[in-house]
Amino acid sequence: MEEGFAIWANPSSPHAEGRKARAALEDARERVKRALGWEGEVIFTSGASEALVIALGRAKAKRRIVSAVEHDAVLRAAPDAAFFTGAEALGQDTLIAVQHVNSETGTINPVSDMAATLRESGALLLSDCAQSAGKLVLPQADMVVVGAHKFGGPIGIGALLVRDFNLLEPVGGHERGYRQGTENLPGAMGMAAALEADAWATTSGQRAGFAQAVAEQRLIIGEQVDYIFALTHPTMSAQALLIRLDAMGFAVSAGSACSSGTLKKSRVLDAFGVPDETAARTIRVSLGWSTTPEELERFADAWAALT
């Protein structure tokens, strides 16, 4: 990012400084593609939420269908979308959004398994991979959404990965006419560097041990990752848990981090079929790329004491 700030100019400007910035931006774009194993196009955005707005707002499809456990950002970007049931008559005028990893439970959705079937029907598949990019292999979707800060990159930069630009309606502006606003060159370079650093891979052993330590109270919903946990206390409410754990120095949440300030019932847990009484005692614990073994051990001890 320091390199990016040092050479920053508007990458769309034709002067020498602009051309230098453009070269650095395109280099960052290729590095992101290479690191994620993506062979299509990359549109840099301000984060995953903006990428969802572009995908859901400008995909060449008349209908929007989303899974019932999507992040709130998906529902805000497509407020008129129907919920996916699996029994819909699909076709070329349909865009289906299915997240890769759920942000509240860590459940891995079989997006790649769905992709082949949907492609045969002519439907488009969009996958929110904010919680899996840089950690798991990306699914075979037509469009993929990523946010850099989830894998150790800077906040304020993300991307919409598109199999083919022809899947979207352009609106003019930057990023080949698919996004308004000057590109964030330092952010794009930081995003590429974070992916290449692959800091996440170094914490796999720590995560496995932590998963074992909290296994008894974890909500098990399908196949799950080892860095997002829905933990249910036997008797204490989620609100009380948040207060107790915060006082002990742990930052956890109830529901997704973007809406947990309300402490309302989790729409996602409800959609997964979790009983209300259980959901009311469930918190979300997530591990970051910089989480240390000492922090994990300290939380495991604190959780054991509370339960």
Side-chain angles (χ1 to χ4, degrees):
M1 290 186 72
E2 288 179 352
E3 293 176 16
F5 282 118
I7 64 173
W8 192 90
N10 189 329
S12 297
S13 296
H15 49 60
E17 291 184 353
R19 296 196 303 273
K20 185 176 181 180
R22 169 59 60 183
L25 182 71
E26 296 310 316
D27 177 66
R29 197 187 312 276
E30 290 304 313
R31 291 162 60 197
V32 167
K33 289 170 62 173
R34 187 163 54 248
L36 291 174
W38 183 256
E39 296 181 354
E41 308 292 347
V42 171
I43 301 171
F44 284 122
T45 66
S46 62
S49 293
E50 185 196 0
L52 286 167
V53 169
I54 294 173
L56 289 162
R58 301 215 290 277
K60 293 180 179 178
K62 293 181 180 178
R63 290 198 301 163
R64 283 13 178 199
I65 299 176
V66 304
S67 86
V69 297
E70 295 299 304
H71 192 279
D72 283 348
V74 172
L75 305 189
R76 287 193 292 266
D80 297 327
F83 283 131
F84 180 69
T85 67
E88 291 88 353
L90 305 176
Q92 294 181 351
D93 284 337
T94 305
L95 172 68
I96 298 178
V98 181
Q99 64 188 188
H100 193 198
V101 171
N102 185 265
S103 61
E104 294 188 36
T105 66
T107 301
I108 304 173
N109 289 314
V111 178
S112 290
D113 293 342
M114 298 175 62
T117 302
L118 293 175
R119 196 159 289 147
E120 288 178 5
S121 72
L124 297 178
L125 177 60
L126 164 67
S127 188
D128 175 3
C129 295
Q131 294 289 355
S132 62
K135 303 167 186 177
L136 305 179
V137 176
L138 294 181
Q140 299 299 311
D142 297 295
M143 289 181 273
V144 166
V145 165
V146 304
H149 70 277
K150 297 294 187 181
F151 48 76
I155 209 164
I157 184 74
L160 173 61
L161 314 184
V162 188
R163 177 169 55 81
D164 190 316
F165 278 139
N166 288 328
L167 301 179
L168 297 171
E169 293 285 357
V171 294
H174 298 274
E175 288 298 273
R176 295 169 175 78
Y178 290 92
R179 179 189 184 253
Q180 304 289 332
T182 304
E183 293 95 341
N184 177 358
L185 173 60
M189 294 175 70
M191 179 178 181
L195 284 169
E196 291 168 345
D198 197 20
W200 192 252
T202 65
T203 65
S204 59
Q206 304 164 23
R207 300 196 306 270
F210 181 79
Q212 186 174 2
V214 298
E216 283 191 26
Q217 287 84 31
R218 185 179 191 182
L219 279 179
I220 302 300
I221 304 175
E223 183 183 2
Q224 292 168 299
V225 296
D226 59 0
Y227 51 87
I228 298 174
F229 300 82
L231 301 182
T232 302
H233 193 278
T235 58
M236 198 179 302
S237 72
Q239 184 173 5
L241 284 167
L242 296 191
I243 294 171
R244 292 285 295 274
L245 289 168
D246 180 58
M248 299 166 76
F250 300 107
V252 300
S253 63
S256 68
C258 299
S259 60
S260 58
T262 61
L263 289 176
K264 61 185 178 182
K265 177 184 174 183
S266 167
R267 169 184 57 79
V268 168
L269 293 184
D270 188 49
F272 271 124
V274 177
D276 290 355
E277 196 269 339
T278 301
R281 294 181 283 107
T282 300
I283 63 170
R284 171 186 181 266
V285 177
S286 60
L287 316 184
W289 66 273
S290 61
T291 304
T292 67
E294 292 75 22
E295 288 169 336
L296 293 177
E297 184 177 353
R298 196 160 60 86
F299 182 88
D301 290 343
W303 183 251
L306 286 173
T307 57

